[in-house]
């Protein structure tokens, strides 16, 4: 039985109860949001991951993209990245492996993770077709759907499927050439496939079958934006928006069948267009949860793309996005190291938390107020306990310890907080 | 002759010409903005620093705070930080030294810097009074003004003076206690002085004399926000806004005398209040350039305060702020290292550039478009030349080099950009 249908029938499920407890909200309210598709619960019956809710009214979630490439495919390191991401507070991870034994890696990641795991199943059919010598353009429509089933059977909780990259939509990129063309891997595979075979995208054409498969596992469809802008110049262009109009239709069809959907978003977006991009998604896609990559607010900062993406991420989440995919400092340059994964997750937790304070998610601001009360009291033990990453904060402080343990070496004896406590004490006398 | 008066009389000066050239704008337009106080040119006749303009219509500038504390006062390291900040692209630096031989350090920083240098002269009188055994509360009003003159005579280009912390304004913090009270060092010195001496803030009371002193050097007054919020809970409170109403008056008085002023801003501000804080400053302070510290959009992230501050900084600059003071990863924990200084400047350059794209500063987006054209062509040499920090980008890429030099190890052979160039080539045939 699908959780969306259970919710519509007024029944609660263990997943709904777990998410409501985790979010500190009423289970009946959550069920209503799930019933109308404004919240999705990421889970798959074939694993024991903690179910995680994404959508309106809930805490903004952070996903960490992991996975091997043809240039780096050490499974042990991947599993350490899973640990690092979850320890840093990631709410979900995606296994985007394209190098090495991808079946083995996926199963190991699902086994290792305690949080929902996502994947992009088209990689499966594409890589298998390439590896068996036929070439990617010769993967069959059946193989593409079988890839989805395989991933779900392995316990994947949410699958990114680029169903909106239709031939009609793809035509926009030819008729109005873009600065960066198509930068999504799955999107580019489908563009090549459609161009070569002169056939419609099977993920669109066989969407009903796809929904049946996903429904069997009560997993979540993440409608990928294969034509997301890869440069500021391409943001909000006809290709991107046309794809979103197709996704609008696909969200409606999924809801009719009780299959949960989330919608993926850009990409590279100038800061002044960030808010409107989520407003547009929420309108076109009937309030479906919005899952965004960044967005990056400049193209020029490889090595600092986590910064540009955190700026975009905070603003888009404040404006209504529900689920942020991190960007690490390694983006556009190489696969992230374990350290990059940690930095990416913590960076995006700052963005997500800032957004949650701004959008008034219950309890978000309490954390800051408790922390600032400790700072006012110069209570370093409590500050170190409460702060986002105690290990890093301690390392920084201890690298240049103050001569007076109540202070820090930045202001030393001229600490304003210390001075004011003296002023107030004297005034109180 | 004051640059503001020259501009009002329709004369251009070498400084105006240099800034107009640097910004790529018409010198007559710049002169008009300087004449009406919407742009300030930071410079001091006693040094050969490059003049830098801040204000409406100009590129958003980034300042790096440097300086020793009682716990760390190595002058050689300070000078290396000056070099690092400028090499990373800082438009100004502030010497906030409070430890060691502060006169010697200030003069060496002014000598070493090629960009405007700011300072907080009240530290001078406060530290001298403390060091000669009288205690900070016994510094005299004359000593406070003499400190300003000394700094300007040493070649400081812009002086932060907390003239708006009047006794009336300070009373708000007692009548409506704050979570974090006063967190500005200069602000706390004046709060203590006023409380102990039961006298008005000399920087307010003797503001006319102060303007005469600053005017002699044609330097810029930076009206410090001594009561800036140090916790989200205190943002936009009565104390902060009351101080801004006093600063409103001080901006008008300075303009009447032809003395250039900029106004300093918060601090810690929830993301949803960031835009209104600059709108309020621009209204109350008659369009005066706004110089902000961050703002930090969460209190809980020591070690990641550069991230939270870059988020706030990008949004406040997009909304109209003109000059961003960086925050480094070391904020609230210790003095920044040379590496922290670099990270802080590059992080804030991302924020400033994202804002400049959003507010349409001429030429800002061109950089991204040229970079993305190189990315589309997989032209790594051009990408590495054009990107924000080529050294860092190269280090990242080289740490896990791709087997195919046209690609990167993130996606390896499945690079979407590479694939699409094949698709387009085939379609073109």
């Amino acid at each position: 039985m699908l959780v969306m249908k259970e919710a519509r029938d007024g029944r609660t499920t263990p997943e709904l109860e777990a998410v409501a407890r985790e979010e500190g909200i009423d289970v009946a309210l959550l069920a209503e949001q799930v019933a109308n598709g404004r919240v999705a619960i990421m889970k798959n019956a074939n694993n024991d991951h903690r179910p995680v809710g994404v959508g309106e009214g809930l805490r903004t979630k952070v996903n960490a993209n992991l996975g091997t490439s043809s240039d780096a495919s050490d499974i042990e390191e991947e599993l350490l990245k899973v640990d690092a991401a979850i320890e840093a507070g990631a709410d979900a991870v995606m296994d985007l492996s394209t190098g090495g034994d991808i079946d083995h890696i996926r199963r190991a990641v699902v086994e290792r993770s305690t949080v929902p795991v996502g994947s992009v199943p088209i990689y499966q059919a594409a890589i298998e077709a390439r590896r068996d010598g036929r070439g990617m353009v010769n993967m069959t429509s059946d193989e593409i759907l079988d890839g989805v089933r395989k991933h779900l059977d392995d316990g994947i909780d949410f699958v990114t499927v680029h169903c909106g990259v239709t031939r009609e939509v793809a035509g926009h990129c030819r008729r109005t050439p873009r600065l960066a063309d198509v930068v999504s891997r799955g999107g580019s595979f489908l563009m090549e496939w459609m161009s070569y075979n002169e056939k419609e995208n099977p993920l669109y054409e066989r969407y009903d079958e796809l929904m049946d498969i996903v429904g069997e596992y009560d997993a979540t469809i993440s409608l990928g934006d294969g034509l997301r802008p890869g440069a500021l110049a391409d943001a909000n262009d006809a290709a991107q928006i046309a794809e979103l109009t197709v996704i609008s239709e696909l969200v409606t069809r999924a809801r009719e069948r009780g299959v949960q959907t989330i919608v993926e978003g850009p990409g590279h977006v100038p800061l002044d267009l960030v808010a409107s991009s989520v407003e547009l998604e929420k309108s076109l896609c009937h309030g479906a949860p919005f899952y965004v990559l960044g967005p990056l607010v400049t193209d020029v900062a490889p090595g600092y793309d986590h910064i540009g993406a955190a700026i975009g991420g905070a603003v888009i989440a404040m404006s209504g996005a529900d689920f942020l995919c991190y960007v690490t400092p390694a983006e556009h340059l190489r696969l992230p190291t374990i350290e990059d994964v940690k930095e990416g997750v913590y960076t995006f937790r700052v963005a997500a938390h800032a957004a949650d304070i701004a959008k008034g998610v219950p309890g978000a601001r309490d954390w800051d107020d408790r922390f600032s009360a400790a700072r006012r009291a110069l209570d370093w033990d409590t500050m170190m306990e409460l702060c986002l990453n105690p290990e890093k904060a301690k390392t920084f402080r201890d690298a240049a310890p103050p001569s007076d343990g109540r202070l820090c070496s930045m202001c030393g004896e001229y600490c304003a907080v210390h001075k004011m406590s003296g002023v107030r004490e004297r005034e109180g006398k």
Side-chain angles (χ1 to χ4, degrees), chain A:
Chain A
M1 186 68 174
L2 298 166
V3 66
M4 192 182 249
K5 292 196 171 168
E6 298 270 14
R8 284 178 188 159
D9 292 346
R11 281 189 295 274
T12 63
T13 68
E15 292 78 25
L16 285 170
E17 278 159 15
V19 171
R21 204 165 40 239
E22 165 71 22
E23 300 280 343
I25 61 167
D26 181 60
V27 68
L29 176 69
L30 178 68
E32 196 183 311
Q33 292 288 72
V34 170
N36 65 28
R38 289 174 176 265
V39 164
I41 309 279
M42 300 188 293
K43 69 167 204 72
N44 176 323
N46 285 4
N47 67 48
D48 57 1
H49 301 158
R50 165 166 76 76
V52 169
V54 287
E56 199 181 287
L58 307 188
R59 185 173 58 78
T60 301
K61 304 305 186 298
V62 173
N63 173 74
N65 277 353
L66 305 175
T68 59
S69 76
S70 51
D71 281 327
S73 58
D74 177 342
I75 185 168
E76 281 314 311
E77 200 182 347
E78 280 311 306
L79 295 177
L80 293 175
K81 288 181 191 173
V82 173
D83 297 344
I86 296 172
E87 201 184 311
D91 300 290
V93 298
M94 288 190 81
D95 171 37
L96 306 180
S97 291
T98 58
D101 183 346
I102 60 172
D103 288 341
H104 180 52
I105 296 166
R106 179 174 51 257
R107 288 164 194 156
V109 168
V110 168
E111 174 74 24
R112 185 77 151 238
S113 181
T114 56
V115 298
V117 178
S119 74
V120 186
I122 191 130
Y123 296 174
Q124 191 74 28
I127 290 168
E128 285 177 1
R130 184 176 170 96
R131 286 189 183 167
D132 72 14
R134 282 179 294 158
M136 211 180 273
V137 292
N138 291 308
M139 61 181 165
T140 67
S141 168
D142 283 344
E143 285 169 344
I144 292 174
L145 266 70
D146 287 347
V148 177
R149 181 183 292 282
K150 184 183 211 176
H151 283 215
L152 292 166
D153 216 51
D154 283 344
I156 291 293
D157 302 273
F158 59 107
V159 285
T160 292
V161 277
H162 300 96
C163 308
V165 184
T166 62
R167 294 185 81 188
E168 165 58 25
V169 167
H172 282 288
C173 298
R174 270 195 306 275
R175 294 189 295 274
T176 313
R178 300 175 127 187
L179 183 55
D181 211 342
V182 176
V183 298
S184 144
R185 278 194 293 193
S188 74
F189 296 174
L190 288 162
M191 292 289 284
E192 184 186 43
W193 192 94
M194 292 189 296
S195 172
Y196 184 90
N197 295 294
E198 297 183 1
K199 284 188 186 157
E200 187 52 279
N201 176 355
L203 292 169
Y204 178 77
E205 212 164 51
R206 298 175 69 179
Y207 188 64
D208 286 343
E209 287 170 75
L210 178 68
M211 283 189 289
D212 288 343
I213 296 169
V214 177
E216 279 177 48
Y217 300 86
D218 200 10
T220 296
I221 293 183
S222 186
L223 291 161
D225 53 338
L227 304 184
R228 69 168 178 264
L232 297 184
D234 300 334
N236 275 9
D237 76 348
Q240 180 194 342
I241 306 305
E243 184 182 14
L244 199 58
T245 64
V246 176
I247 289 174
S248 165
E249 164 205 330
L250 300 175
V251 168
T252 303
R253 287 168 59 190
R255 286 183 184 175
E256 282 165 6
R257 291 190 175 229
V259 175
Q260 301 188 105
T261 49
I262 61 182
V263 174
E264 296 186 15
H268 291 234
V269 184
L271 191 52
D272 55 320
L273 296 182
V274 167
S276 64
S277 68
V278 59
E279 287 157 11
L280 190 61
E281 184 276 342
K282 289 283 177 182
S283 312
L284 276 173
C285 301
H286 328 291
F290 200 27
Y291 174 31
V292 291
L293 177 62
L296 284 159
V297 292
T298 175
D299 303 341
V300 302
Y304 296 88
D305 280 338
H306 61 310
I307 307 284
I311 292 169
V315 174
I316 206 163
M318 170 173 75
S319 309
D322 310 286
F323 189 19
L324 302 179
C325 181
Y326 82 174
V327 169
T328 81
E331 185 76 20
H332 296 114
L333 295 169
R334 60 164 162 76
L335 275 185
T337 61
I338 294 170
E339 198 48 44
D340 294 330
V341 167
K342 279 191 208 173
E343 283 303 287
V345 173
Y346 281 118
T347 296
F348 271 71
R349 285 187 61 205
V350 171
H353 179 60
D356 286 345
I357 293 166
K359 59 185 170 183
V361 170
R365 244 288 295 284
D366 298 347
W367 184 12
D368 299 77
D369 292 350
R370 281 183 293 131
F371 182 87
S372 286
R375 179 171 275 157
R376 164 75 178 268
L378 294 169
D379 175 354
W380 287 93
D381 289 342
T382 303
M383 279 192 269
M384 288 299 170
E385 197 180 298
L386 280 180
C387 73
L388 181 75
N389 180 353
E391 188 190 332
K392 185 161 188 174
K394 277 182 196 133
T395 305
F396 265 77
R397 180 166 155 81
D398 293 349
S403 48
D404 179 342
R406 291 170 301 172
L407 312 175
C408 90
S409 67
M410 186 160 205
C411 299
E413 60 182 325
Y414 298 107
C415 171
V417 176
H418 179 56
K419 179 160 290 295
M420 288 310 299
S421 74
V423 172
R424 298 307 180 200
E425 200 177 319
R426 212 184 53 79
E427 285 175 347
K429 276 175 196 164

